[in-house]
Coordinates of all heavy atoms in Angstrom, one line a residue:
M1 N 118.5 105.1 102.7 CA 118.0 104.0 102.0 C 119.1 103.1 101.7 O 120.2 103.6 101.3 CB 117.3 104.4 100.7 CG 115.9 104.9 100.9 SD 115.2 105.5 99.4 CE 115.6 107.2 99.6
G2 N 118.9 101.8 101.7 CA 120.0 100.9 101.4 C 120.2 100.8 99.9 O 119.4 101.3 99.1
S3 N 121.3 100.2 99.5 CA 121.6 100.1 98.1 C 121.5 98.7 97.5 O 122.3 98.3 96.6 CB 122.9 100.8 97.8 OG 123.9 100.1 98.5
A4 N 120.7 97.8 98.2 CA 120.6 96.4 97.7 C 120.2 96.4 96.2 O 119.3 97.1 95.8 CB 119.6 95.7 98.6
G5 N 121.0 95.6 95.5 CA 120.6 95.5 94.1 C 121.3 96.6 93.2 O 121.3 96.5 92.0
T6 N 121.8 97.6 93.8 CA 122.4 98.7 93.0 C 123.9 98.7 93.2 O 124.6 99.2 92.3 CB 121.9 100.1 93.4 OG1 122.1 100.3 94.8 CG2 120.4 100.2 93.1
G7 N 124.4 98.2 94.3 CA 125.8 98.2 94.6 C 126.3 99.6 94.5 O 125.6 100.6 94.7
E8 N 127.6 99.8 94.3 CA 128.2 101.1 94.1 C 128.2 101.5 92.7 O 129.1 101.1 91.9 CB 129.6 101.1 94.7 CG 129.6 100.9 96.2 CD 128.9 101.9 97.0 OE1 128.9 103.1 96.7 OE2 128.2 101.5 98.0
V9 N 127.2 102.2 92.2 CA 127.1 102.6 90.8 C 127.1 104.2 90.8 O 126.7 104.8 91.8 CB 125.9 102.1 90.1 CG1 126.0 100.5 90.0 CG2 124.6 102.5 90.7
P10 N 127.5 104.8 89.7 CA 127.5 106.2 89.6 C 126.0 106.7 89.7 O 125.1 106.0 89.3 CB 128.1 106.5 88.2 CG 128.8 105.3 87.8 CD 128.1 104.1 88.5
P11 N 125.8 107.9 90.3 CA 124.5 108.4 90.5 C 123.6 108.4 89.2 O 122.5 108.1 89.3 CB 124.7 109.9 91.0 CG 126.0 109.8 91.7 CD 126.8 108.8 90.9
R12 N 124.2 108.7 88.1 CA 123.5 108.8 86.8 C 122.9 107.4 86.5 O 121.8 107.2 86.1 CB 124.4 109.3 85.7 CG 123.8 109.2 84.3 CD 123.0 110.5 84.1 NE 122.4 110.4 82.7 CZ 121.7 111.3 82.3 NH1 121.5 112.4 82.9 NH2 121.1 111.2 81.1
Q13 N 123.7 106.4 86.7 CA 123.3 105.0 86.4 C 122.2 104.6 87.4 O 121.3 103.9 87.0 CB 124.5 104.1 86.4 CG 124.2 102.7 86.0 CD 125.5 101.8 85.9 OE1 126.6 102.2 86.2 NE2 125.3 100.5 85.6
L14 N 122.4 105.0 88.6 CA 121.4 104.6 89.7 C 120.1 105.3 89.3 O 119.0 104.6 89.3 CB 121.9 105.2 91.0 CG 120.9 105.0 92.2 CD1 120.6 103.6 92.4 CD2 121.6 105.6 93.4
R15 N 120.1 106.5 88.9 CA 118.8 107.2 88.5 C 118.2 106.4 87.3 O 117.0 106.2 87.3 CB 119.2 108.6 88.1 CG 118.0 109.4 87.5 CD 118.5 110.8 87.1 NE 117.5 111.5 86.3 CZ 116.4 112.0 86.8 NH1 116.2 112.0 88.1 NH2 115.5 112.6 86.0
D16 N 119.0 106.1 86.3 CA 118.4 105.3 85.1 C 117.8 104.0 85.6 O 116.7 103.7 85.1 CB 119.5 105.1 84.1 CG 119.9 106.4 83.4 OD1 119.2 107.4 83.5 OD2 121.0 106.4 82.8
R17 N 118.4 103.3 86.5 CA 117.9 102.0 86.9 C 116.6 102.2 87.7 O 115.7 101.4 87.5 CB 118.9 101.3 87.9 CG 120.1 100.7 87.1 CD 121.0 100.0 88.1 NE 122.2 99.5 87.5 CZ 123.1 98.8 88.1 NH1 122.9 98.4 89.3 NH2 124.1 98.3 87.4
M18 N 116.5 103.2 88.5 CA 115.3 103.5 89.3 C 114.2 103.8 88.4 O 113.0 103.4 88.6 CB 115.5 104.6 90.3 CG 116.4 104.2 91.5 SD 116.7 105.5 92.6 CE 115.1 105.6 93.4
L19 N 114.4 104.6 87.3 CA 113.4 105.1 86.4 C 112.8 104.0 85.5 O 111.8 104.1 84.9 CB 113.8 106.3 85.6 CG 114.0 107.5 86.4 CD1 114.6 108.6 85.6 CD2 112.7 108.0 87.0
R20 N 113.5 102.8 85.5 CA 113.0 101.7 84.7 C 112.0 100.9 85.5 O 111.3 100.0 84.9 CB 114.2 100.8 84.3 CG 115.0 101.4 83.2 CD 116.0 100.3 82.6 NE 116.9 99.8 83.6 CZ 118.2 100.0 83.5 NH1 118.7 100.7 82.5 NH2 119.0 99.5 84.4
E21 N 111.9 101.1 86.8 CA 111.0 100.3 87.6 C 109.6 101.0 87.8 O 109.5 102.2 87.7 CB 111.7 100.2 89.0 CG 113.0 99.5 89.0 CD 113.0 98.1 88.4 OE1 112.0 97.4 88.6 OE2 114.0 97.7 87.8
R22 N 108.6 100.1 88.0 CA 107.3 100.6 88.3 C 107.0 100.7 89.8 O 106.2 101.6 90.2 CB 106.2 99.6 87.7 CG 106.3 99.3 86.3 CD 106.3 100.5 85.3 NE 105.2 101.4 85.6 CZ 105.2 102.7 85.1 NH1 106.2 103.1 84.5 NH2 104.2 103.4 85.4
R23 N 107.7 99.9 90.6 CA 107.6 100.0 92.0 C 109.0 99.8 92.6 O 109.9 99.1 92.1 CB 106.8 98.8 92.6 CG 105.4 98.9 92.4 CD 104.7 97.8 93.1 NE 103.2 97.9 92.8 CZ 102.4 97.0 93.0 NH1 102.8 95.8 93.5 NH2 101.1 97.1 92.7
I24 N 109.2 100.5 93.7 CA 110.5 100.4 94.5 C 110.1 100.2 95.9 O 109.3 100.9 96.5 CB 111.3 101.7 94.3 CG1 111.8 101.7 92.8 CG2 112.5 101.7 95.2 CD1 112.6 102.9 92.5
I25 N 110.8 99.3 96.6 CA 110.7 99.1 98.0 C 111.9 99.7 98.7 O 113.0 99.2 98.4 CB 110.5 97.6 98.4 CG1 109.2 97.1 97.8 CG2 110.5 97.5 99.9 CD1 109.0 95.7 97.9
A26 N 111.8 100.7 99.5 CA 112.9 101.4 100.1 C 113.0 101.0 101.6 O 111.9 101.1 102.3 CB 112.8 102.9 99.9
V27 N 114.1 100.6 102.1 CA 114.3 100.3 103.5 C 115.3 101.4 104.0 O 116.4 101.6 103.4 CB 114.9 98.9 103.7 CG1 115.2 98.6 105.1 CG2 114.0 97.9 103.0
G28 N 114.9 102.1 105.0 CA 115.8 103.1 105.6 C 115.6 103.3 107.0 O 115.0 102.5 107.7
D29 N 116.2 104.4 107.5 CA 116.1 104.7 108.9 C 114.7 105.2 109.2 O 114.0 105.7 108.4 CB 117.1 105.9 109.2 CG 118.5 105.4 109.1 OD1 118.8 104.3 109.4 OD2 119.3 106.2 108.5
P30 N 114.3 105.1 110.5 CA 112.9 105.6 110.9 C 112.9 107.1 110.7 O 113.9 107.8 110.6 CB 112.8 105.2 112.3 CG 114.1 104.9 112.8 CD 115.0 104.5 111.6
G31 N 111.7 107.7 110.6 CA 111.5 109.1 110.4 C 112.3 109.9 111.5 O 112.5 109.4 112.6
G32 N 112.8 111.0 111.1 CA 113.5 111.9 112.0 C 115.0 111.7 111.9 O 115.8 112.5 112.4
A33 N 115.5 110.6 111.3 CA 116.9 110.4 111.2 C 117.5 111.3 110.1 O 116.8 111.6 109.1 CB 117.2 108.9 110.8
P34 N 118.7 111.8 110.3 CA 119.2 112.7 109.3 C 119.5 111.9 108.0 O 119.8 110.7 108.0 CB 120.6 113.1 109.9 CG 120.9 112.1 110.9 CD 119.6 111.5 111.4
A35 N 119.3 112.6 106.8 CA 119.5 112.0 105.5 C 121.0 111.9 105.3 O 121.8 112.7 105.7 CB 119.0 112.9 104.5
D36 N 121.4 110.8 104.7 CA 122.8 110.5 104.3 C 123.2 111.6 103.3 O 122.5 111.9 102.3 CB 123.0 109.1 103.7 CG 122.8 108.0 104.7 OD1 123.1 108.3 105.9 OD2 122.3 107.0 104.3
A37 N 124.4 112.2 103.4 CA 124.9 113.2 102.5 C 125.9 112.7 101.5 O 127.0 113.2 101.4 CB 125.5 114.3 103.4
V38 N 125.4 111.6 100.8 CA 126.3 111.1 99.7 C 125.5 111.2 98.4 O 124.3 111.1 98.4 CB 126.7 109.6 100.0 CG1 127.6 109.5 101.2 CG2 125.5 108.7 100.2
P39 N 126.2 111.3 97.3 CA 125.5 111.5 96.0 C 124.4 110.5 95.7 O 123.3 110.8 95.3 CB 126.6 111.6 95.0 CG 127.8 112.0 95.8 CD 127.6 111.4 97.1
G40 N 124.7 109.2 95.9 CA 123.8 108.2 95.6 C 122.5 108.3 96.4 O 121.4 108.1 95.8
E41 N 122.6 108.6 97.6 CA 121.4 108.7 98.5 C 120.6 110.0 98.1 O 119.4 109.9 98.1 CB 121.8 108.8 99.9 CG 122.4 107.6 100.5 CD 121.5 106.3 100.4 OE1 120.3 106.4 100.7 OE2 122.0 105.3 99.9
A42 N 121.3 111.0 97.7 CA 120.5 112.2 97.2 C 119.8 111.9 95.9 O 118.6 112.4 95.7 CB 121.5 113.4 97.0
V43 N 120.4 111.1 95.0 CA 119.7 110.8 93.8 C 118.5 109.9 94.1 O 117.4 110.1 93.5 CB 120.7 110.0 92.8 CG1 119.9 109.3 91.7 CG2 121.7 110.9 92.3
K44 N 118.6 109.0 95.0 CA 117.5 108.1 95.4 C 116.3 109.0 95.9 O 115.2 108.8 95.4 CB 117.9 107.1 96.4 CG 118.8 106.0 95.9 CD 119.2 105.1 97.1 CE 120.3 104.2 96.8 NZ 120.8 103.4 97.9
R45 N 116.6 109.9 96.8 CA 115.6 110.7 97.3 C 114.9 111.6 96.2 O 113.7 111.7 96.2 CB 116.1 111.6 98.4 CG 116.4 110.9 99.7 CD 116.7 111.8 100.9 NE 117.9 112.6 100.6 CZ 119.1 112.3 100.9 NH1 119.4 111.1 101.4 NH2 120.1 113.1 100.6
E46 N 115.7 112.2 95.4 CA 115.2 113.0 94.3 C 114.3 112.2 93.3 O 113.2 112.7 93.0 CB 116.4 113.7 93.5 CG 116.0 114.7 92.5 CD 115.7 114.0 91.1 OE1 116.4 113.0 90.8 OE2 114.9 114.5 90.4
V47 N 114.7 111.1 92.9 CA 113.9 110.2 92.0 C 112.6 109.8 92.7 O 111.6 109.9 92.0 CB 114.7 109.0 91.5 CG1 113.8 108.1 90.7 CG2 115.9 109.5 90.6
L48 N 112.7 109.4 93.9 CA 111.5 109.0 94.6 C 110.5 110.1 94.7 O 109.3 110.0 94.5 CB 111.8 108.3 95.9 CG 112.5 106.9 95.8 CD1 112.9 106.5 97.2 CD2 111.6 105.9 95.2
D49 N 111.0 111.3 95.1 CA 110.2 112.5 95.3 C 109.6 113.0 94.0 O 108.4 113.4 94.0 CB 111.0 113.6 96.0 CG 111.3 113.4 97.4 OD1 110.8 112.4 98.0 OD2 112.2 114.1 97.9
R50 N 110.3 112.9 93.0 CA 109.9 113.5 91.7 C 109.0 112.5 90.8 O 108.1 113.0 90.1 CB 111.1 113.9 90.9 CG 110.9 114.9 89.9 CD 112.3 115.3 89.4 NE 112.4 116.7 89.6 CZ 113.1 117.5 88.8 NH1 113.7 117.0 87.7 NH2 113.2 118.7 89.0
H51 N 109.3 111.2 90.9 CA 108.7 110.3 89.9 C 107.8 109.2 90.6 O 107.2 108.5 89.8 CB 109.8 109.6 89.1 CG 110.6 110.6 88.3 ND1 110.1 111.2 87.1 CD2 111.8 111.1 88.5 CE1 111.1 112.0 86.7 NE2 112.1 112.0 87.5
F52 N 107.8 109.1 91.9 CA 107.1 108.1 92.6 C 106.3 108.7 93.7 O 106.5 109.8 94.0 CB 108.1 107.0 93.2 CG 108.8 106.2 92.2 CD1 109.9 106.7 91.5 CD2 108.4 104.9 91.9 CE1 110.6 105.9 90.6 CE2 109.1 104.1 91.0 CZ 110.2 104.6 90.3
R53 N 105.3 107.9 94.2 CA 104.6 108.3 95.4 C 104.6 107.1 96.4 O 104.5 106.0 95.9 CB 103.2 108.8 95.1 CG 102.2 107.8 94.6 CD 100.9 108.4 94.5 NE 99.9 107.4 94.1 CZ 99.2 106.6 95.0 NH1 99.4 106.8 96.3 NH2 98.4 105.7 94.6
A54 N 104.6 107.5 97.6 CA 104.5 106.4 98.7 C 103.2 105.8 98.6 O 102.2 106.5 98.6 CB 104.8 107.0 100.0
C55 N 103.2 104.5 98.7 CA 101.9 103.7 98.6 C 101.6 103.0 99.9 O 100.5 102.7 100.1 CB 102.1 102.8 97.4 SG 100.7 101.8 97.0
G56 N 102.6 102.7 100.6 CA 102.5 101.9 101.9 C 103.7 102.0 102.7 O 104.8 102.3 102.2
E57 N 103.6 101.9 104.0 CA 104.7 102.0 104.9 C 104.6 101.0 106.0 O 103.5 100.8 106.6 CB 104.8 103.4 105.4 CG 105.9 103.7 106.4 CD 105.9 105.1 106.9 OE1 104.9 105.5 107.5 OE2 106.9 105.8 106.6
L58 N 105.7 100.4 106.4 CA 105.8 99.6 107.6 C 106.9 100.1 108.5 O 107.9 100.7 107.9 CB 106.1 98.1 107.2 CG 105.1 97.3 106.4 CD1 105.7 96.0 106.0 CD2 103.8 97.1 107.3
L59 N 106.7 100.0 109.8 CA 107.7 100.5 110.7 C 108.2 99.4 111.6 O 107.9 99.4 112.8 CB 107.2 101.7 111.5 CG 106.9 102.9 110.6 CD1 106.1 104.0 111.4 CD2 108.1 103.6 110.0
P60 N 108.9 98.4 111.1 CA 109.5 97.4 112.0 C 110.5 98.1 112.9 O 110.9 99.2 112.7 CB 110.1 96.4 111.1 CG 110.4 97.1 109.8 CD 109.4 98.2 109.7
R61 N 110.9 97.4 113.9 CA 111.9 98.0 114.9 C 113.1 98.6 114.2 O 113.8 97.9 113.5 CB 112.3 96.9 115.9 CG 111.2 96.6 116.9 CD 111.8 95.6 117.9 NE 110.7 95.0 118.5 CZ 110.8 93.9 119.3 NH1 111.9 93.4 119.5 NH2 109.7 93.4 119.8
G62 N 113.3 99.8 114.4 CA 114.5 100.5 114.0 C 114.7 100.7 112.5 O 115.7 101.0 112.0
A63 N 113.6 100.6 111.7 CA 113.6 100.7 110.3 C 112.3 101.3 109.8 O 111.3 101.4 110.5 CB 113.9 99.4 109.6
R64 N 112.4 101.7 108.5 CA 111.2 102.2 107.8 C 111.2 101.6 106.4 O 112.2 101.7 105.7 CB 111.3 103.8 107.7 CG 110.1 104.4 107.0 CD 110.2 105.9 107.0 NE 109.1 106.5 106.4 CZ 109.2 107.4 105.3 NH1 110.4 107.7 104.9 NH2 108.2 107.8 104.8
V65 N 110.1 100.9 106.1 CA 110.0 100.2 104.8 C 108.8 100.9 104.1 O 107.7 100.9 104.6 CB 109.7 98.7 105.0 CG1 109.6 98.0 103.6 CG2 110.8 98.1 105.8
V66 N 109.1 101.4 102.9 CA 108.1 102.2 102.1 C 108.0 101.6 100.7 O 109.1 101.3 100.1 CB 108.5 103.7 102.0 CG1 107.4 104.4 101.2 CG2 108.6 104.3 103.4
V67 N 106.8 101.3 100.3 CA 106.6 100.9 98.9 C 106.2 102.1 98.1 O 105.3 102.9 98.5 CB 105.4 99.9 98.8 CG1 105.1 99.5 97.3 CG2 105.7 98.6 99.6
Y68 N 107.0 102.4 97.0 CA 106.7 103.5 96.1 C 106.2 103.0 94.8 O 106.7 101.9 94.3 CB 108.0 104.3 95.9 CG 108.5 105.0 97.1 CD1 109.4 104.5 98.0 CD2 108.1 106.4 97.3 CE1 109.9 105.2 99.1 CE2 108.6 107.1 98.4 CZ 109.4 106.5 99.3 OH 109.9 107.2 100.3
V69 N 105.3 103.7 94.2 CA 104.8 103.4 92.8 C 105.0 104.6 91.9 O 105.0 105.7 92.4 CB 103.3 102.9 92.8 CG1 103.1 101.6 93.5 CG2 102.4 104.0 93.4
R70 N 105.2 104.3 90.6 CA 105.4 105.4 89.7 C 104.1 106.3 89.6 O 103.0 105.8 89.6 CB 105.6 104.9 88.3 CG 107.0 104.2 88.1 CD 108.1 105.3 88.1 NE 108.0 106.2 87.1 CZ 108.8 106.2 86.0 NH1 109.7 105.3 85.8 NH2 108.7 107.1 85.1
D71 N 104.3 107.6 89.6 CA 103.2 108.6 89.5 C 102.5 108.4 88.1 O 101.3 108.7 88.0 CB 103.8 110.0 89.6 CG 104.0 110.4 91.0 OD1 103.3 109.9 91.9 OD2 104.9 111.3 91.2
D72 N 103.2 108.1 87.1 CA 102.6 108.0 85.7 C 102.0 106.7 85.4 O 101.6 106.5 84.3 CB 103.7 108.4 84.7 CG 104.9 107.4 84.7 OD1 104.9 106.5 85.5 OD2 105.7 107.6 83.8
D73 N 101.9 105.8 86.4 CA 101.2 104.5 86.2 C 99.7 104.8 85.9 O 99.1 105.5 86.7 CB 101.4 103.7 87.4 CG 101.0 102.2 87.1 OD1 100.1 102.0 86.3 OD2 101.6 101.3 87.7
A74 N 99.2 104.4 84.8 CA 97.8 104.7 84.4 C 96.8 103.9 85.1 O 95.6 104.3 85.1 CB 97.7 104.5 82.9
R75 N 97.2 102.9 85.9 CA 96.2 102.1 86.6 C 95.6 102.8 87.8 O 96.2 103.8 88.3 CB 96.8 100.8 87.0 CG 97.1 99.9 85.8 CD 97.8 98.7 86.2 NE 99.2 99.0 86.5 CZ 100.0 98.2 87.2 NH1 99.7 97.1 87.6 NH2 101.3 98.6 87.5
D76 N 94.5 102.4 88.2 CA 93.9 103.0 89.4 C 94.6 102.7 90.7 O 95.5 101.8 90.7 CB 92.4 102.7 89.6 CG 92.2 101.2 89.9 OD1 93.1 100.5 90.1 OD2 91.0 100.8 90.0
D77 N 94.4 103.5 91.7 CA 95.1 103.4 93.0 C 95.1 102.0 93.6 O 96.1 101.5 94.1 CB 94.6 104.4 94.0 CG 95.1 105.8 93.7 OD1 96.0 105.9 92.9 OD2 94.6 106.7 94.4
D78 N 93.9 101.3 93.5 CA 93.8 100.0 94.1 C 94.8 99.0 93.4 O 95.4 98.1 94.0 CB 92.4 99.4 94.1 CG 91.5 100.2 95.0 OD1 92.0 100.8 96.0 OD2 90.3 100.2 94.8
A79 N 94.9 99.1 92.1 CA 95.8 98.2 91.4 C 97.3 98.6 91.6 O 98.1 97.7 91.5 CB 95.5 98.3 89.9
R80 N 97.5 99.8 91.8 CA 98.9 100.3 92.0 C 99.5 100.0 93.4 O 100.7 99.7 93.5 CB 99.0 101.8 91.8 CG 98.7 102.2 90.4 CD 98.5 103.7 90.2 NE 99.7 104.3 90.6 CZ 99.9 105.7 90.7 NH1 98.9 106.4 90.4 NH2 101.0 106.2 91.1
C81 N 98.6 100.0 94.4 CA 99.1 99.9 95.7 C 98.8 98.5 96.3 O 97.6 98.2 96.4 CB 98.5 101.0 96.6 SG 99.0 102.6 96.2
P82 N 99.8 97.8 96.7 CA 99.5 96.4 97.2 C 98.9 96.6 98.6 O 99.0 97.6 99.3 CB 100.9 95.8 97.4 CG 101.8 97.0 97.5 CD 101.2 98.1 96.7
A83 N 98.1 95.6 99.0 CA 97.5 95.5 100.3 C 98.6 95.4 101.3 O 99.7 94.8 101.1 CB 96.6 94.3 100.4
A84 N 98.4 96.0 102.5 CA 99.4 96.0 103.5 C 99.5 94.5 104.0 O 98.5 93.9 104.2 CB 99.0 96.9 104.7
P85 N 100.8 94.1 104.2 CA 100.9 92.7 104.7 C 100.4 92.6 106.1 O 100.5 93.5 106.9 CB 102.4 92.4 104.6 CG 103.1 93.8 104.6 CD 102.0 94.7 104.0
S86 N 100.0 91.4 106.5 CA 99.6 91.1 107.8 C 100.8 91.0 108.7 O 101.8 90.4 108.3 CB 98.7 89.9 107.9 OG 97.6 90.0 107.1
P87 N 100.8 91.5 109.9 CA 101.9 91.3 110.8 C 102.0 89.8 111.1 O 101.1 89.0 111.1 CB 101.6 92.1 112.1 CG 100.1 92.4 111.9 CD 99.7 92.2 110.5
P88 N 103.3 89.3 111.4 CA 103.4 87.9 111.7 C 102.7 87.5 113.0 O 102.5 88.3 113.9 CB 105.0 87.7 111.9 CG 105.5 89.1 112.0 CD 104.5 90.1 111.5
A89 N 102.2 86.3 113.0 CA 101.5 85.8 114.2 C 102.4 85.7 115.4 O 103.6 85.3 115.2 CB 100.8 84.5 113.8
R90 N 102.0 86.0 116.5 CA 102.8 85.9 117.7 C 102.5 84.5 118.4 O 101.3 84.2 118.5 CB 102.5 87.0 118.7 CG 102.7 88.4 118.2 CD 104.0 88.9 118.6 NE 104.2 90.2 118.1 CZ 105.4 90.7 117.9 NH1 106.5 90.1 118.2 NH2 105.5 91.9 117.4
P91 N 103.5 83.8 118.8 CA 103.2 82.5 119.5 C 102.5 82.7 120.8 O 102.4 83.7 121.4 CB 104.6 81.9 119.7 CG 105.6 82.9 119.3 CD 104.9 84.1 118.8

C-alpha cells in the first residue's frame, strides 16, 4: 500500500491516524504480490484487517484499489459502502 498522506511517520503515529478515519482507500499491488516487509506496511495491514472491512475493489492495470470502511460504523451496509464507479467511456 502506498503512503500518500502519511509520509514517513512512525508506525504508532500511522496507526493512530488510520484509526481516526471512517474510510480508507488503499492502492497497492495486485493480488499475489508479496507483502512489503517494512514496519509501516505491517501496521497498515494490521489496522485494516482488525478494524476495517473491504467494501469495494477495482483492479486497474497493475494495481489494486480497495475501499475500506470501519467495522464499528453503526450505519447499514448500503450507507457504508459507496457504489462502484463506472469505468471510463472508451472512445
Side-chain angles (χ1 to χ4, degrees):
M1 280 177 264
S3 58
T6 60
E8 296 297 324
V9 298
R12 174 86 180 183
Q13 188 177 358
L14 176 57
R15 176 184 169 73
D16 292 344
R17 287 183 184 185
M18 290 177 73
L19 290 174
R20 286 193 297 246
E21 301 300 326
R22 303 306 308 159
R23 286 187 183 162
I24 292 178
I25 298 174
V27 179
D29 296 320
D36 293 328
V38 295
E41 294 301 313
V43 166
K44 290 175 192 177
R45 288 189 300 273
E46 185 270 329
V47 170
L48 291 172
D49 288 347
R50 203 173 238 214
H51 300 282
F52 290 80
R53 71 176 182 85
C55 183
E57 179 180 61
L58 294 173
L59 297 168
R61 289 185 197 167
R64 180 175 180 236
V65 180
V66 182
V67 176
Y68 290 91
V69 295
R70 287 292 296 258
D71 280 333
D72 60 354
D73 194 327
R75 293 175 285 167
D76 67 1
D77 284 348
D78 290 338
R80 292 171 59 185
C81 295
S86 300
R90 302 264 180 201

